[in-house]
PDB file of all heavy atoms in Angstrom:
ATOM      1  N   PRO A 596       0.803  -1.225   0.000  1.00 48.00           N
ATOM      2  CA  PRO A 596       0.000   0.000   0.000  1.00 48.00           C
ATOM      3  C   PRO A 596       0.837   1.276   0.000  1.00 48.00           C
ATOM      4  O   PRO A 596       0.378   2.304  -0.467  1.00 48.00           O
ATOM      5  CB  PRO A 596      -0.818  -0.096   1.291  1.00 48.00           C
ATOM      6  CG  PRO A 596      -0.792  -1.518   1.661  1.00 48.00           C
ATOM      7  CD  PRO A 596       0.473  -2.086   1.114  1.00 48.00           C
ATOM      8  N   LEU A 597       2.055   1.196   0.508  1.00 46.00           N
ATOM      9  CA  LEU A 597       2.897   2.390   0.537  1.00 46.00           C
ATOM     10  C   LEU A 597       3.330   2.813  -0.861  1.00 46.00           C
ATOM     11  O   LEU A 597       3.675   3.952  -1.087  1.00 46.00           O
ATOM     12  CB  LEU A 597       4.131   2.147   1.416  1.00 46.00           C
ATOM     13  CG  LEU A 597       3.848   1.859   2.877  1.00 46.00           C
ATOM     14  CD1 LEU A 597       5.148   1.546   3.606  1.00 46.00           C
ATOM     15  CD2 LEU A 597       3.130   3.010   3.524  1.00 46.00           C
ATOM     16  N   SER A 598       3.336   1.881  -1.799  1.00 43.00           N
ATOM     17  CA  SER A 598       3.770   2.216  -3.145  1.00 43.00           C
ATOM     18  C   SER A 598       2.627   2.698  -4.033  1.00 43.00           C
ATOM     19  O   SER A 598       2.839   3.044  -5.180  1.00 43.00           O
ATOM     20  CB  SER A 598       4.450   1.002  -3.791  1.00 43.00           C
ATOM     21  OG  SER A 598       3.490  -0.023  -3.971  1.00 43.00           O
ATOM     22  N   ALA A 599       1.405   2.682  -3.521  1.00 47.00           N
ATOM     23  CA  ALA A 599       0.252   3.094  -4.321  1.00 47.00           C
ATOM     24  C   ALA A 599       0.307   4.588  -4.607  1.00 47.00           C
ATOM     25  O   ALA A 599       0.697   5.387  -3.765  1.00 47.00           O
ATOM     26  CB  ALA A 599      -1.031   2.752  -3.584  1.00 47.00           C
ATOM     27  N   GLN A 600      -0.086   4.936  -5.805  1.00 56.00           N
ATOM     28  CA  GLN A 600      -0.124   6.335  -6.199  1.00 56.00           C
ATOM     29  C   GLN A 600      -1.578   6.791  -6.268  1.00 56.00           C
ATOM     30  O   GLN A 600      -2.472   6.007  -6.553  1.00 56.00           O
ATOM     31  CB  GLN A 600       0.548   6.523  -7.564  1.00 56.00           C
ATOM     32  CG  GLN A 600       2.005   6.099  -7.589  1.00 56.00           C
ATOM     33  CD  GLN A 600       2.875   6.934  -6.686  1.00 56.00           C
ATOM     34  OE1 GLN A 600       2.736   8.141  -6.617  1.00 56.00           O
ATOM     35  NE2 GLN A 600       3.761   6.292  -5.961  1.00 56.00           N
ATOM     36  N   ALA A 601      -1.815   8.068  -6.039  1.00 64.00           N
ATOM     37  CA  ALA A 601      -3.170   8.594  -6.056  1.00 64.00           C
ATOM     38  C   ALA A 601      -3.564   9.087  -7.439  1.00 64.00           C
ATOM     39  O   ALA A 601      -4.700   9.481  -7.638  1.00 64.00           O
ATOM     40  CB  ALA A 601      -3.294   9.716  -5.039  1.00 64.00           C
ATOM     41  N   VAL A 602      -2.662   9.085  -8.379  1.00 70.00           N
ATOM     42  CA  VAL A 602      -2.961   9.575  -9.716  1.00 70.00           C
ATOM     43  C   VAL A 602      -3.994   8.656 -10.354  1.00 70.00           C
ATOM     44  O   VAL A 602      -3.796   7.440 -10.448  1.00 70.00           O
ATOM     45  CB  VAL A 602      -1.687   9.651 -10.588  1.00 70.00           C
ATOM     46  CG1 VAL A 602      -2.020  10.104 -11.991  1.00 70.00           C
ATOM     47  CG2 VAL A 602      -0.676  10.580  -9.949  1.00 70.00           C
ATOM     48  N   GLU A 603      -5.099   9.236 -10.775  1.00 70.00           N
ATOM     49  CA  GLU A 603      -6.180   8.487 -11.403  1.00 70.00           C
ATOM     50  C   GLU A 603      -5.884   8.303 -12.889  1.00 70.00           C
ATOM     51  O   GLU A 603      -5.217   9.151 -13.500  1.00 70.00           O
ATOM     52  CB  GLU A 603      -7.504   9.233 -11.221  1.00 70.00           C
ATOM     53  CG  GLU A 603      -7.896   9.440  -9.778  1.00 70.00           C
ATOM     54  CD  GLU A 603      -8.230   8.163  -9.054  1.00 70.00           C
ATOM     55  OE1 GLU A 603      -8.778   7.242  -9.700  1.00 70.00           O
ATOM     56  OE2 GLU A 603      -7.936   8.069  -7.854  1.00 70.00           O
ATOM     57  N   PRO A 604      -6.401   7.233 -13.487  1.00 66.00           N
ATOM     58  CA  PRO A 604      -6.159   7.004 -14.921  1.00 66.00           C
ATOM     59  C   PRO A 604      -6.642   8.148 -15.808  1.00 66.00           C
ATOM     60  O   PRO A 604      -6.017   8.455 -16.819  1.00 66.00           O
ATOM     61  CB  PRO A 604      -6.934   5.717 -15.212  1.00 66.00           C
ATOM     62  CG  PRO A 604      -7.032   5.021 -13.897  1.00 66.00           C
ATOM     63  CD  PRO A 604      -7.084   6.109 -12.863  1.00 66.00           C
ATOM     64  N   ASP A 605      -7.740   8.804 -15.411  1.00 66.00           N
ATOM     65  CA  ASP A 605      -8.245   9.907 -16.241  1.00 66.00           C
ATOM     66  C   ASP A 605      -7.361  11.152 -16.163  1.00 66.00           C
ATOM     67  O   ASP A 605      -7.506  12.068 -16.974  1.00 66.00           O
ATOM     68  CB  ASP A 605      -9.685  10.248 -15.863  1.00 66.00           C
ATOM     69  CG  ASP A 605      -9.818  10.755 -14.438  1.00 66.00           C
ATOM     70  OD1 ASP A 605      -9.019  10.340 -13.577  1.00 66.00           O
ATOM     71  OD2 ASP A 605     -10.735  11.574 -14.200  1.00 66.00           O
ATOM     72  N   GLU A 606      -6.443  11.209 -15.205  1.00 72.00           N
ATOM     73  CA  GLU A 606      -5.524  12.340 -15.087  1.00 72.00           C
ATOM     74  C   GLU A 606      -4.285  12.162 -15.955  1.00 72.00           C
ATOM     75  O   GLU A 606      -3.634  13.138 -16.312  1.00 72.00           O
ATOM     76  CB  GLU A 606      -5.049  12.505 -13.638  1.00 72.00           C
ATOM     77  CG  GLU A 606      -6.131  12.797 -12.644  1.00 72.00           C
ATOM     78  CD  GLU A 606      -5.597  12.819 -11.220  1.00 72.00           C
ATOM     79  OE1 GLU A 606      -4.397  13.094 -11.020  1.00 72.00           O
ATOM     80  OE2 GLU A 606      -6.372  12.549 -10.305  1.00 72.00           O
ATOM     81  N   MET A 607      -3.928  10.935 -16.265  1.00 75.00           N
ATOM     82  CA  MET A 607      -2.670  10.652 -16.958  1.00 75.00           C
ATOM     83  C   MET A 607      -2.671  11.188 -18.379  1.00 75.00           C
ATOM     84  O   MET A 607      -3.683  11.160 -19.073  1.00 75.00           O
ATOM     85  CB  MET A 607      -2.409   9.152 -16.974  1.00 75.00           C
ATOM     86  CG  MET A 607      -2.141   8.573 -15.617  1.00 75.00           C
ATOM     87  SD  MET A 607      -1.778   6.831 -15.779  1.00 75.00           S
ATOM     88  CE  MET A 607      -1.659   6.367 -14.087  1.00 75.00           C
ATOM     89  N   LEU A 608      -1.493  11.667 -18.766  1.00 75.00           N
ATOM     90  CA  LEU A 608      -1.314  12.171 -20.121  1.00 75.00           C
ATOM     91  C   LEU A 608      -1.012  11.016 -21.073  1.00 75.00           C
ATOM     92  O   LEU A 608      -0.404  10.015 -20.681  1.00 75.00           O
ATOM     93  CB  LEU A 608      -0.164  13.182 -20.143  1.00 75.00           C
ATOM     94  CG  LEU A 608      -0.369  14.444 -19.292  1.00 75.00           C
ATOM     95  CD1 LEU A 608       0.907  15.249 -19.232  1.00 75.00           C
ATOM     96  CD2 LEU A 608      -1.512  15.281 -19.850  1.00 75.00           C
ATOM     97  N   ALA A 609      -1.420  11.187 -22.313  1.00 76.00           N
ATOM     98  CA  ALA A 609      -1.188  10.143 -23.315  1.00 76.00           C
ATOM     99  C   ALA A 609       0.294  10.023 -23.661  1.00 76.00           C
ATOM    100  O   ALA A 609       0.790   8.933 -23.927  1.00 76.00           O
ATOM    101  CB  ALA A 609      -2.007  10.441 -24.576  1.00 76.00           C
ATOM    102  N   ASP A 610       1.006  11.147 -23.619  1.00 81.00           N
ATOM    103  CA  ASP A 610       2.438  11.155 -23.937  1.00 81.00           C
ATOM    104  C   ASP A 610       3.223  10.687 -22.704  1.00 81.00           C
ATOM    105  O   ASP A 610       3.208  11.363 -21.667  1.00 81.00           O
ATOM    106  CB  ASP A 610       2.866  12.567 -24.338  1.00 81.00           C
ATOM    107  CG  ASP A 610       4.322  12.670 -24.739  1.00 81.00           C
ATOM    108  OD1 ASP A 610       5.050  11.652 -24.660  1.00 81.00           O
ATOM    109  OD2 ASP A 610       4.742  13.775 -25.137  1.00 81.00           O
ATOM    110  N   PRO A 611       3.910   9.542 -22.796  1.00 84.00           N
ATOM    111  CA  PRO A 611       4.624   9.028 -21.612  1.00 84.00           C
ATOM    112  C   PRO A 611       5.742   9.944 -21.130  1.00 84.00           C
ATOM    113  O   PRO A 611       6.049   9.985 -19.939  1.00 84.00           O
ATOM    114  CB  PRO A 611       5.175   7.675 -22.066  1.00 84.00           C
ATOM    115  CG  PRO A 611       5.007   7.612 -23.526  1.00 84.00           C
ATOM    116  CD  PRO A 611       4.023   8.644 -23.942  1.00 84.00           C
ATOM    117  N   VAL A 612       6.361  10.703 -22.027  1.00 89.00           N
ATOM    118  CA  VAL A 612       7.424  11.625 -21.625  1.00 89.00           C
ATOM    119  C   VAL A 612       6.842  12.753 -20.790  1.00 89.00           C
ATOM    120  O   VAL A 612       7.380  13.110 -19.728  1.00 89.00           O
ATOM    121  CB  VAL A 612       8.176  12.166 -22.866  1.00 89.00           C
ATOM    122  CG1 VAL A 612       9.175  13.232 -22.470  1.00 89.00           C
ATOM    123  CG2 VAL A 612       8.850  11.035 -23.622  1.00 89.00           C
ATOM    124  N   LEU A 613       5.725  13.328 -21.231  1.00 86.00           N
ATOM    125  CA  LEU A 613       5.077  14.397 -20.465  1.00 86.00           C
ATOM    126  C   LEU A 613       4.540  13.861 -19.137  1.00 86.00           C
ATOM    127  O   LEU A 613       4.605  14.546 -18.118  1.00 86.00           O
ATOM    128  CB  LEU A 613       3.938  15.024 -21.271  1.00 86.00           C
ATOM    129  CG  LEU A 613       4.335  15.999 -22.375  1.00 86.00           C
ATOM    130  CD1 LEU A 613       3.098  16.537 -23.079  1.00 86.00           C
ATOM    131  CD2 LEU A 613       5.152  17.151 -21.823  1.00 86.00           C
ATOM    132  N   GLU A 614       4.011  12.649 -19.154  1.00 88.00           N
ATOM    133  CA  GLU A 614       3.496  12.053 -17.920  1.00 88.00           C
ATOM    134  C   GLU A 614       4.624  11.864 -16.905  1.00 88.00           C
ATOM    135  O   GLU A 614       4.458  12.137 -15.718  1.00 88.00           O
ATOM    136  CB  GLU A 614       2.799  10.727 -18.207  1.00 88.00           C
ATOM    137  CG  GLU A 614       2.249  10.032 -16.982  1.00 88.00           C
ATOM    138  CD  GLU A 614       1.207  10.843 -16.226  1.00 88.00           C
ATOM    139  OE1 GLU A 614       0.486  11.669 -16.837  1.00 88.00           O
ATOM    140  OE2 GLU A 614       1.107  10.662 -14.997  1.00 88.00           O
ATOM    141  N   GLU A 615       5.771  11.424 -17.383  1.00 90.00           N
ATOM    142  CA  GLU A 615       6.924  11.249 -16.485  1.00 90.00           C
ATOM    143  C   GLU A 615       7.371  12.596 -15.921  1.00 90.00           C
ATOM    144  O   GLU A 615       7.687  12.698 -14.730  1.00 90.00           O
ATOM    145  CB  GLU A 615       8.076  10.552 -17.214  1.00 90.00           C
ATOM    146  CG  GLU A 615       9.284  10.300 -16.353  1.00 90.00           C
ATOM    147  CD  GLU A 615       9.006   9.440 -15.123  1.00 90.00           C
ATOM    148  OE1 GLU A 615       8.143   8.551 -15.196  1.00 90.00           O
ATOM    149  OE2 GLU A 615       9.656   9.671 -14.084  1.00 90.00           O
ATOM    150  N   ARG A 616       7.373  13.621 -16.747  1.00 91.00           N
ATOM    151  CA  ARG A 616       7.725  14.969 -16.255  1.00 91.00           C
ATOM    152  C   ARG A 616       6.711  15.425 -15.215  1.00 91.00           C
ATOM    153  O   ARG A 616       7.078  16.021 -14.198  1.00 91.00           O
ATOM    154  CB  ARG A 616       7.778  15.960 -17.418  1.00 91.00           C
ATOM    155  CG  ARG A 616       9.011  15.815 -18.280  1.00 91.00           C
ATOM    156  CD  ARG A 616       9.029  16.799 -19.434  1.00 91.00           C
ATOM    157  NE  ARG A 616       8.879  18.175 -18.991  1.00 91.00           N
ATOM    158  CZ  ARG A 616       8.430  19.163 -19.792  1.00 91.00           C
ATOM    159  NH1 ARG A 616       8.113  18.910 -21.051  1.00 91.00           N
ATOM    160  NH2 ARG A 616       8.323  20.389 -19.330  1.00 91.00           N
ATOM    161  N   ALA A 617       5.435  15.152 -15.452  1.00 89.00           N
ATOM    162  CA  ALA A 617       4.392  15.542 -14.496  1.00 89.00           C
ATOM    163  C   ALA A 617       4.610  14.829 -13.159  1.00 89.00           C
ATOM    164  O   ALA A 617       4.455  15.434 -12.091  1.00 89.00           O
ATOM    165  CB  ALA A 617       3.012  15.209 -15.060  1.00 89.00           C
ATOM    166  N   ARG A 618       4.995  13.567 -13.224  1.00 90.00           N
ATOM    167  CA  ARG A 618       5.254  12.809 -11.994  1.00 90.00           C
ATOM    168  C   ARG A 618       6.444  13.384 -11.235  1.00 90.00           C
ATOM    169  O   ARG A 618       6.428  13.474 -10.014  1.00 90.00           O
ATOM    170  CB  ARG A 618       5.516  11.332 -12.297  1.00 90.00           C
ATOM    171  CG  ARG A 618       4.330  10.584 -12.853  1.00 90.00           C
ATOM    172  CD  ARG A 618       3.293  10.400 -11.743  1.00 90.00           C
ATOM    173  NE  ARG A 618       2.142   9.677 -12.227  1.00 90.00           N
ATOM    174  CZ  ARG A 618       1.885   8.418 -11.930  1.00 90.00           C
ATOM    175  NH1 ARG A 618       2.690   7.739 -11.156  1.00 90.00           N
ATOM    176  NH2 ARG A 618       0.803   7.842 -12.398  1.00 90.00           N
ATOM    177  N   VAL A 619       7.484  13.759 -11.947  1.00 91.00           N
ATOM    178  CA  VAL A 619       8.672  14.335 -11.315  1.00 91.00           C
ATOM    179  C   VAL A 619       8.308  15.650 -10.622  1.00 91.00           C
ATOM    180  O   VAL A 619       8.698  15.892  -9.470  1.00 91.00           O
ATOM    181  CB  VAL A 619       9.798  14.552 -12.355  1.00 91.00           C
ATOM    182  CG1 VAL A 619      10.920  15.399 -11.784  1.00 91.00           C
ATOM    183  CG2 VAL A 619      10.332  13.214 -12.844  1.00 91.00           C
ATOM    184  N   ILE A 620       7.543  16.488 -11.303  1.00 92.00           N
ATOM    185  CA  ILE A 620       7.129  17.773 -10.715  1.00 92.00           C
ATOM    186  C   ILE A 620       6.233  17.526  -9.505  1.00 92.00           C
ATOM    187  O   ILE A 620       6.382  18.162  -8.457  1.00 92.00           O
ATOM    188  CB  ILE A 620       6.410  18.641 -11.768  1.00 92.00           C
ATOM    189  CG1 ILE A 620       7.377  19.038 -12.879  1.00 92.00           C
ATOM    190  CG2 ILE A 620       5.802  19.879 -11.124  1.00 92.00           C
ATOM    191  CD1 ILE A 620       6.710  19.650 -14.098  1.00 92.00           C
ATOM    192  N   SER A 621       5.301  16.592  -9.635  1.00 90.00           N
ATOM    193  CA  SER A 621       4.342  16.313  -8.566  1.00 90.00           C
ATOM    194  C   SER A 621       5.014  15.802  -7.300  1.00 90.00           C
ATOM    195  O   SER A 621       4.511  16.008  -6.193  1.00 90.00           O
ATOM    196  CB  SER A 621       3.311  15.285  -9.034  1.00 90.00           C
ATOM    197  OG  SER A 621       2.538  15.818 -10.076  1.00 90.00           O
ATOM    198  N   LYS A 622       6.141  15.121  -7.429  1.00 91.00           N
ATOM    199  CA  LYS A 622       6.862  14.608  -6.259  1.00 91.00           C
ATOM    200  C   LYS A 622       7.473  15.743  -5.426  1.00 91.00           C
ATOM    201  O   LYS A 622       7.793  15.551  -4.259  1.00 91.00           O
ATOM    202  CB  LYS A 622       7.982  13.652  -6.687  1.00 91.00           C
ATOM    203  CG  LYS A 622       7.493  12.370  -7.285  1.00 91.00           C
ATOM    204  CD  LYS A 622       7.035  11.427  -6.219  1.00 91.00           C
ATOM    205  CE  LYS A 622       6.670  10.094  -6.835  1.00 91.00           C
ATOM    206  NZ  LYS A 622       5.911   9.279  -5.929  1.00 91.00           N
ATOM    207  N   ASP A 623       7.644  16.916  -6.030  1.00 90.00           N
ATOM    208  CA  ASP A 623       8.252  18.044  -5.324  1.00 90.00           C
ATOM    209  C   ASP A 623       7.225  19.042  -4.792  1.00 90.00           C
ATOM    210  O   ASP A 623       7.593  20.031  -4.171  1.00 90.00           O
ATOM    211  CB  ASP A 623       9.228  18.783  -6.245  1.00 90.00           C
ATOM    212  CG  ASP A 623      10.464  17.967  -6.556  1.00 90.00           C
ATOM    213  OD1 ASP A 623      10.823  17.101  -5.728  1.00 90.00           O
ATOM    214  OD2 ASP A 623      11.069  18.187  -7.619  1.00 90.00           O
ATOM    215  N   LEU A 624       5.940  18.781  -5.046  1.00 91.00           N
ATOM    216  CA  LEU A 624       4.896  19.697  -4.601  1.00 91.00           C
ATOM    217  C   LEU A 624       4.119  19.088  -3.437  1.00 91.00           C
ATOM    218  O   LEU A 624       3.713  17.941  -3.478  1.00 91.00           O
ATOM    219  CB  LEU A 624       3.941  20.022  -5.762  1.00 91.00           C
ATOM    220  CG  LEU A 624       4.571  20.745  -6.944  1.00 91.00           C
ATOM    221  CD1 LEU A 624       3.556  20.895  -8.073  1.00 91.00           C
ATOM    222  CD2 LEU A 624       5.115  22.097  -6.542  1.00 91.00           C
ATOM    223  N   ARG A 625       3.897  19.900  -2.410  1.00 89.00           N
ATOM    224  CA  ARG A 625       3.213  19.463  -1.188  1.00 89.00           C
ATOM    225  C   ARG A 625       1.702  19.627  -1.363  1.00 89.00           C
ATOM    226  O   ARG A 625       1.223  20.624  -1.875  1.00 89.00           O
ATOM    227  CB  ARG A 625       3.674  20.341  -0.024  1.00 89.00           C
ATOM    228  CG  ARG A 625       3.024  20.053   1.300  1.00 89.00           C
ATOM    229  CD  ARG A 625       3.333  21.125   2.357  1.00 89.00           C
ATOM    230  NE  ARG A 625       4.665  21.652   2.303  1.00 89.00           N
ATOM    231  CZ  ARG A 625       5.712  21.137   2.958  1.00 89.00           C
ATOM    232  NH1 ARG A 625       5.550  20.073   3.698  1.00 89.00           N
ATOM    233  NH2 ARG A 625       6.894  21.683   2.861  1.00 89.00           N
ATOM    234  N   CYS A 626       0.975  18.634  -0.877  1.00 87.00           N
ATOM    235  CA  CYS A 626      -0.476  18.757  -0.812  1.00 87.00           C
ATOM    236  C   CYS A 626      -0.785  19.742   0.316  1.00 87.00           C
ATOM    237  O   CYS A 626      -0.352  19.533   1.454  1.00 87.00           O
ATOM    238  CB  CYS A 626      -1.112  17.401  -0.541  1.00 87.00           C
ATOM    239  SG  CYS A 626      -2.891  17.504  -0.255  1.00 87.00           S
ATOM    240  N   VAL A 627      -1.520  20.780   0.016  1.00 84.00           N
ATOM    241  CA  VAL A 627      -1.781  21.814   1.028  1.00 84.00           C
ATOM    242  C   VAL A 627      -2.776  21.344   2.085  1.00 84.00           C
ATOM    243  O   VAL A 627      -2.887  21.960   3.131  1.00 84.00           O
ATOM    244  CB  VAL A 627      -2.258  23.136   0.378  1.00 84.00           C
ATOM    245  CG1 VAL A 627      -1.150  23.746  -0.450  1.00 84.00           C
ATOM    246  CG2 VAL A 627      -3.500  22.926  -0.453  1.00 84.00           C
ATOM    247  N   VAL A 628      -3.457  20.243   1.828  1.00 86.00           N
ATOM    248  CA  VAL A 628      -4.385  19.677   2.806  1.00 86.00           C
ATOM    249  C   VAL A 628      -3.673  18.636   3.673  1.00 86.00           C
ATOM    250  O   VAL A 628      -3.806  18.627   4.890  1.00 86.00           O
ATOM    251  CB  VAL A 628      -5.600  19.036   2.102  1.00 86.00           C
ATOM    252  CG1 VAL A 628      -6.507  18.327   3.099  1.00 86.00           C
ATOM    253  CG2 VAL A 628      -6.377  20.087   1.330  1.00 86.00           C
ATOM    254  N   CYS A 629      -2.902  17.762   3.032  1.00 81.00           N
ATOM    255  CA  CYS A 629      -2.245  16.650   3.735  1.00 81.00           C
ATOM    256  C   CYS A 629      -0.949  17.078   4.410  1.00 81.00           C
ATOM    257  O   CYS A 629      -0.356  16.307   5.139  1.00 81.00           O
ATOM    258  CB  CYS A 629      -1.930  15.517   2.760  1.00 81.00           C
ATOM    259  SG  CYS A 629      -3.372  14.986   1.834  1.00 81.00           S
ATOM    260  N   GLN A 630      -0.465  18.229   4.134  1.00 71.00           N
ATOM    261  CA  GLN A 630       0.708  18.865   4.711  1.00 71.00           C
ATOM    262  C   GLN A 630       2.032  18.268   4.282  1.00 71.00           C
ATOM    263  O   GLN A 630       2.745  18.897   3.546  1.00 71.00           O
ATOM    264  CB  GLN A 630       0.604  18.935   6.224  1.00 71.00           C
ATOM    265  CG  GLN A 630      -0.538  19.824   6.640  1.00 71.00           C
ATOM    266  CD  GLN A 630      -0.526  20.123   8.102  1.00 71.00           C
ATOM    267  OE1 GLN A 630       0.366  19.739   8.821  1.00 71.00           O
ATOM    268  NE2 GLN A 630      -1.527  20.837   8.568  1.00 71.00           N
ATOM    269  N   ASN A 631       2.392  17.084   4.708  1.00 81.00           N
ATOM    270  CA  ASN A 631       3.732  16.603   4.364  1.00 81.00           C
ATOM    271  C   ASN A 631       3.675  15.422   3.401  1.00 81.00           C
ATOM    272  O   ASN A 631       4.458  14.501   3.496  1.00 81.00           O
ATOM    273  CB  ASN A 631       4.523  16.237   5.619  1.00 81.00           C
ATOM    274  CG  ASN A 631       6.003  16.445   5.403  1.00 81.00           C
ATOM    275  OD1 ASN A 631       6.404  17.209   4.533  1.00 81.00           O
ATOM    276  ND2 ASN A 631       6.829  15.767   6.162  1.00 81.00           N
ATOM    277  N   GLN A 632       2.756  15.488   2.460  1.00 88.00           N
ATOM    278  CA  GLN A 632       2.597  14.447   1.459  1.00 88.00           C
ATOM    279  C   GLN A 632       2.635  15.117   0.096  1.00 88.00           C
ATOM    280  O   GLN A 632       2.060  16.185  -0.090  1.00 88.00           O
ATOM    281  CB  GLN A 632       1.265  13.732   1.676  1.00 88.00           C
ATOM    282  CG  GLN A 632       1.064  12.513   0.848  1.00 88.00           C
ATOM    283  CD  GLN A 632      -0.246  11.814   1.210  1.00 88.00           C
ATOM    284  OE1 GLN A 632      -1.108  12.399   1.849  1.00 88.00           O
ATOM    285  NE2 GLN A 632      -0.381  10.592   0.785  1.00 88.00           N
ATOM    286  N   ASP A 633       3.336  14.500  -0.857  1.00 88.00           N
ATOM    287  CA  ASP A 633       3.375  15.102  -2.179  1.00 88.00           C
ATOM    288  C   ASP A 633       2.039  14.901  -2.875  1.00 88.00           C
ATOM    289  O   ASP A 633       1.262  14.013  -2.538  1.00 88.00           O
ATOM    290  CB  ASP A 633       4.535  14.534  -3.015  1.00 88.00           C
ATOM    291  CG  ASP A 633       4.415  13.049  -3.245  1.00 88.00           C
ATOM    292  OD1 ASP A 633       3.452  12.625  -3.900  1.00 88.00           O
ATOM    293  OD2 ASP A 633       5.304  12.312  -2.781  1.00 88.00           O
ATOM    294  N   ILE A 634       1.751  15.755  -3.871  1.00 88.00           N
ATOM    295  CA  ILE A 634       0.455  15.700  -4.539  1.00 88.00           C
ATOM    296  C   ILE A 634       0.305  14.430  -5.377  1.00 88.00           C
ATOM    297  O   ILE A 634      -0.805  14.018  -5.688  1.00 88.00           O
ATOM    298  CB  ILE A 634       0.199  16.948  -5.412  1.00 88.00           C
ATOM    299  CG1 ILE A 634       1.193  17.059  -6.555  1.00 88.00           C
ATOM    300  CG2 ILE A 634       0.178  18.198  -4.567  1.00 88.00           C
ATOM    301  CD1 ILE A 634       0.849  18.123  -7.580  1.00 88.00           C
ATOM    302  N   ASP A 635       1.404  13.803  -5.727  1.00 86.00           N
ATOM    303  CA  ASP A 635       1.352  12.595  -6.534  1.00 86.00           C
ATOM    304  C   ASP A 635       0.756  11.425  -5.754  1.00 86.00           C
ATOM    305  O   ASP A 635       0.138  10.537  -6.331  1.00 86.00           O
ATOM    306  CB  ASP A 635       2.758  12.236  -7.021  1.00 86.00           C
ATOM    307  CG  ASP A 635       2.741  11.313  -8.215  1.00 86.00           C
ATOM    308  OD1 ASP A 635       1.847  11.473  -9.073  1.00 86.00           O
ATOM    309  OD2 ASP A 635       3.614  10.438  -8.306  1.00 86.00           O
TER     310      ASP A 635
END
């Protein structure tokens, strides 16, 4: 369960390169509700 991601299939980009970039960016952004959890 710790490896599960919250990204829904309808959010994913069709281009795998852009999707990977989105994942990299999302790992550095904090969820403003969850506090110390990344948005990914």
Side-chain angles (χ1 to χ4, degrees):
L597 298 176
S598 66
Q600 300 296 318
V602 178
E603 300 293 326
D605 63 329
E606 298 175 26
M607 293 183 185
L608 298 171
D610 182 357
V612 174
L613 283 180
E614 179 60 29
E615 182 59 33
R616 285 179 55 203
R618 294 289 181 106
V619 168
I620 294 168
S621 295
K622 292 282 185 195
D623 291 334
L624 297 175
R625 178 191 323 271
C626 173
V627 294
V628 175
C629 307
Q630 295 191 4
N631 210 22
Q632 189 176 16
D633 61 64
I634 64 170
D635 200 37

